[in-house]
Amino acid sequence: MIRRIFGVLLALIGLVVAVVGGVAAFWLIGPDDTVQSGEQHLSSKGLAIASTPELLNRNGPVLHVDVRSTKDQPVFVGVARDFDVSSYLKGFAHTKLVQVQYPIALSTQDEKGTAGPLAAPDTLDWWVAKANGAGTQSIAWPIEDGPYDVVIMNADGKTAPDVQVDLGIEIPKAFATALAVFAVGIVLLALGILLVLLRRRPTKPQQAEPAQFHDPQGNSQFPQAQYPQPHPAPVQYPPAHGQPPQQAPTQGGGAVRRVVVGGLALGLVSGCAAVPQADSVSALTRPAINDDAAVAVIKHYNAVNNKANSVRDSKLIATVEGGNLVRESQAGYEIDRVAKDKPTAPFVYTSPVIGAPQSAGYPMRFVSNSAISTNKAYRHLGVWERATAGSPWLITFAAGVKTTVKLPDLTGLRAATKADDKRLAVAPQVAATSLATYLTGGAKSPRAAAFQPNADITTMLAGIVTNRAEKAKMRGSTRSLTDVFTAPPQSPAFVTKSGTAVVFVSLTHEYTLIPGPNWHFWWDGMPENAFSPKSVKYYNGLTSETIHDTVLLIPPKGKGKIQVASFESQVVDAGGY
């Protein structure tokens, strides 16, 4: 009876396992090891459809995405790190793909925002996998550890997507695992049926011999009765000291047990190879840009910059420059226009060496050290910045550095951190503020001792002293005369492999002259006259603003003073009140 009950249970278990393995192998997965969602219709009121990181929270399998437009429009499908996608879509209306139920359903959720447009997705350099164009677009991406998103859009980034989507997850050895489970189920089912149907063969009873009786009188006509002789009981000896008593082997169960255990082991071993690993990385970083993309950015800048310079187009130059640098370029255009100078001759930045720090958010920056095609005596240092994932790269700082100045290698560059403040001779922001204090106080400022001498600074400070001396000769003409230098609250700072920090500081220099009673002043020369003609007189104050682009090299602690590698000046405004 126990055997039959065990057989029924074993058969039921085998049936369930076989059905599960068969359905998985022949309906859900197939020989290509891929679980498909089936083609589903997705649309958005916004400009994109993006998955959440939770949908790709196991790494190892290969993600397959096939997308085609229902309106015969070119489509885009890509995979990127979550922080890139979040920055790209922030503030724009889009649709989130929040759940995938294989093999039949996709669940979405609309996110409110502006109508766009977005930058065309195929022009951006941070995708880890992408496909773009007409017809069905497909990607196959081995899912990596960390928060990643899938994005589906129309290729122009301006119109709402309406698409048919087929998602697939290719799990290595999934089909073989399902077949193994199916086979184990069949074996268990067969064993269970055998245990139910087979019966134990009955034991034949022993025949007793006729009883023999002995007649003491010698009469033999009576048969003798025969009785079965009792078998002697086996002699049992106590076990040897320290050894457990021996048990008789159980008959019939060992083979079944071995088959069941072996089948389960096969399913578990092959199954473990197929189960994707849960993500262990919760935050991702990446280089701000790769070398090829950086070279392309600089090449684009060269073309736009030369075109803007040729016609002094302030709007065009603003498409490739930002920060104080675009103010300087636009001011330079105005000065050249008033002075009737010829446009700047075309030039390009060549053979750039790129320093691209690891980044985990925006804004992102990278640094370039390039040759200048028209000036062999200088190299060009530039800081390039992208405000958001959908923004263009803009150069926000530019300086010419003499080739005689030894610059540290930019490869392996990283952004400076607070921990670096203790390793460097001076913390980067402290160095920038100290430089502003030094220049405001003049050559005799106590802060001057922290810096190596720089010829451009020496010349500028000498000019300030001369101007003050000339005004002093004009008794009563000037109530006060000030030159105030201010460092920005934050300056881009990076640390090289050698431990030297490179800091890019755009100092603001405000000049103010307050006339004495019955005196007035005007600007009497270029470049200030480009902003304030000689005919304009000021009775209350004369002002100008200059930007000084400064590159500081800060050595590790105990390795020397701060070096001013470059100090370039550009007047951006002049006038008075």
Side-chain angles (χ1 to χ4, degrees):
M1 179 63 68
I2 294 176
R3 186 179 70 255
R4 291 183 180 180
I5 294 174
F6 179 72
V8 170
L9 292 176
L10 194 62
L12 290 175
I13 294 173
L15 180 62
V16 172
V17 172
V19 170
V20 170
V23 169
F26 303 112
W27 185 54
L28 286 178
I29 302 173
D32 60 356
D33 291 330
T34 303
V35 181
Q36 298 288 153
S37 69
E39 194 170 74
Q40 303 289 318
H41 176 254
L42 288 178
S43 63
S44 175
K45 297 178 181 178
L47 297 178
I49 302 165
S51 69
T52 60
E54 291 74 20
L55 293 186
L56 299 176
N57 61 359
R58 288 185 175 272
N59 57 85
V62 178
L63 173 68
H64 295 268
V65 185
D66 300 316
V67 180
R68 63 179 178 85
S69 172
T70 61
K71 299 180 179 179
D72 295 327
Q73 295 176 311
V75 294
F76 173 89
V77 56
V79 178
R81 295 164 182 83
D82 179 62
F83 71 83
D84 285 314
V85 174
S86 297
S87 176
Y88 180 49
L89 299 179
K90 185 177 181 180
F92 293 94
H94 64 282
T95 297
K96 283 187 176 180
L97 180 60
V98 295
Q99 188 176 19
V100 179
Q101 296 175 332
Y102 289 96
I104 55 173
L106 307 178
S107 301
T108 60
Q109 176 181 309
D110 289 335
E111 295 289 320
K112 296 181 179 180
T114 60
L118 285 165
D122 194 47
T123 64
L124 304 172
D125 55 33
W126 37 260
W127 301 102
V128 297
K130 66 177 183 177
N132 183 81
T136 300
Q137 298 298 309
S138 303
I139 60 171
W141 175 65
I143 300 176
E144 298 178 20
D145 195 347
Y148 287 87
D149 302 334
V150 179
V151 179
I152 298 169
M153 303 175 61
N154 282 345
D156 60 6
K158 300 177 182 178
T159 54
D162 192 292
V163 295
Q164 291 292 114
V165 179
D166 190 358
L167 299 179
I169 297 293
E170 180 185 343
I171 305 174
K173 300 182 180 179
F175 183 64
T177 299
L179 287 179
V181 172
F182 176 70
V184 169
I186 295 296
V187 171
L188 295 178
L189 178 61
L191 288 175
I193 294 173
L194 287 174
L195 288 175
V196 171
L197 295 181
L198 290 180
R199 297 182 180 180
R200 180 178 292 178
R201 183 176 297 174
T203 304
K204 293 182 179 181
Q206 296 181 356
Q207 295 181 357
E209 297 180 0
Q212 299 284 336
F213 294 96
H214 176 68
D215 182 5
Q217 302 297 326
N219 299 323
S220 60
Q221 65 272 21
F222 298 100
Q224 296 183 358
Q226 292 184 352
Y227 297 95
Q229 297 297 319
H231 294 284
V235 179
Q236 295 185 353
Y237 298 95
H241 179 70
Q243 294 182 358
Q246 295 182 356
Q247 296 182 354
T250 303
Q251 300 203 2
V256 173
R257 194 160 48 243
R258 285 194 294 274
V259 171
V260 172
V261 172
L264 291 176
L266 174 62
L268 288 174
V269 171
S270 59
C272 288
V275 174
Q277 297 296 315
D279 284 352
S280 60
V281 176
S282 59
L284 294 170
T285 62
R286 65 172 178 83
I289 197 170
N290 60 55
D291 285 355
D292 290 341
V295 170
V297 168
I298 296 172
K299 184 177 179 180
H300 174 69
Y301 174 80
N302 288 336
V304 174
N305 180 53
N306 283 324
K307 184 176 180 180
N309 289 344
S310 66
V311 293
R312 300 189 177 104
D313 188 333
S314 294
K315 290 184 178 180
L316 182 59
I317 196 63
T319 64
V320 291
E321 292 185 351
N324 279 326
L325 183 60
V326 71
R327 289 187 64 201
E328 295 175 60
S329 294
Q330 291 169 343
Y333 290 166
E334 185 63 21
I335 293 168
D336 290 345
R337 189 179 292 111
V338 172
K340 298 182 179 180
D341 287 341
K342 293 181 178 181
T344 303
F347 66 94
V348 294
Y349 300 130
T350 64
S351 306
V353 177
I354 305 301
Q358 289 282 329
S359 299
Y362 290 84
M364 284 193 179
R365 297 185 179 96
F366 75 89
V367 181
S368 63
N369 178 358
S370 308
I372 306 172
S373 61
T374 57
N375 192 339
K376 304 302 182 183
Y378 282 80
R379 290 189 66 83
H380 172 267
L381 278 184
V383 178
W384 308 77
E385 182 174 310
R386 172 180 266 170
T388 70
S391 302
W393 282 104
L394 303 177
I395 183 170
T396 57
F397 184 99
V401 181
K402 292 180 180 179
T403 53
T404 55
V405 175
K406 185 178 180 180
L407 293 172
D409 184 7
L410 295 182
T411 57
L413 196 71
R414 61 178 178 83
T417 64
K418 289 185 178 180
D420 293 308
D421 293 352
K422 297 180 180 180
R423 304 188 189 105
L424 297 168
V426 181
Q429 191 56 36
V430 172
T433 303
S434 296
L435 178 62
T437 303
Y438 157 36
L439 298 180
T440 299
K444 295 183 180 180
S445 169
R447 300 293 178 89
F451 298 87
Q452 295 182 16
N454 177 275
D456 295 323
I457 290 178
T458 300
T459 300
M460 182 196 68
L461 293 179
I464 290 174
V465 171
T466 299
N467 180 57
R468 290 178 178 178
E470 289 177 351
K471 297 300 185 291
K473 291 179 181 178
M474 303 165 61
R475 294 183 179 276
S477 67
T478 306
R479 289 186 193 177
S480 65
L481 183 62
T482 59
D483 290 272
V484 178
F485 293 79
T486 305
Q490 292 292 331
S491 298
F494 306 91
V495 178
T496 63
K497 291 186 295 185
S498 65
T500 298
V502 186
V503 188
F504 301 90
V505 185
S506 292
L507 294 171
T508 300
H509 174 192
E510 294 180 344
Y511 170 83
T512 304
L513 183 155
I514 306 299
N518 303 318
W519 282 83
H520 61 269
F521 288 87
W522 64 93
W523 290 107
D524 190 28
M526 295 295 289
E528 290 81 6
N529 282 155
F531 308 99
S532 179
K534 294 180 180 181
S535 58
V536 180
K537 306 294 191 293
Y538 301 99
Y539 294 85
N540 297 312
L542 191 70
T543 62
S544 71
E545 181 181 358
T546 303
I547 294 175
H548 303 279
D549 291 321
T550 310
V551 178
L552 301 179
L553 302 180
I554 306 176
K557 187 170 291 185
K559 298 294 184 180
K561 298 182 178 181
I562 305 169
Q563 181 182 3
V564 181
S566 178
F567 188 84
E568 296 184 329
S569 307
Q570 175 67 59
V571 175
V572 295
D573 194 18
Y577 51 90

